[in-house]
Amino acid sequence: PPEGDVDAPLKALIFDSYYDNYKGAISFVRIIDGECRPGMRIRMMGSGKEFEVTEVGTFSPDMTPRAELCAGEVGYLV
């Protein structure tokens, strides 16, 4: 099973993304360490820019909003 530390700072891998006219940028992610919730500020390491997360969720098979994504889970961030 996927491993990760829920108590560690957030670390995630973005493996795909697209732009939605109503929600904005939607990134498909795998959470490696930590957890992500709506309202959190995240920093993109490549550009150094910070953004606020407005929605997180999983695919089942449609995009289904959730309260949080934890270490080892795959889902999306808006």
Side-chain angles (χ1 to χ4, degrees):
E3 296 180 7
D5 184 7
V6 178
D7 297 324
L10 177 64
K11 184 172 25 172
L13 172 69
I14 297 174
F15 59 88
D16 198 7
S17 64
Y18 71 95
Y19 185 81
D20 181 89
N21 287 331
Y22 299 102
K23 292 185 177 185
I26 299 177
S27 299
F28 299 167
V29 297
R30 179 199 185 269
I31 306 296
I32 297 169
D33 287 326
E35 58 187 16
C36 188
R37 296 183 180 125
M40 288 181 67
R41 303 260 328 148
I42 58 172
R43 178 182 302 132
M44 299 296 174
M45 298 309 290
S47 66
K49 295 183 180 180
E50 291 191 7
F51 300 95
E52 182 178 345
V53 177
T54 58
E55 181 181 326
V56 299
T58 56
F59 308 102
S60 59
D62 296 326
M63 293 181 7
T64 306
R66 291 185 46 190
E68 66 182 7
L69 287 177
C70 296
E73 294 183 321
V74 174
Y76 68 91
L77 303 175
V78 179

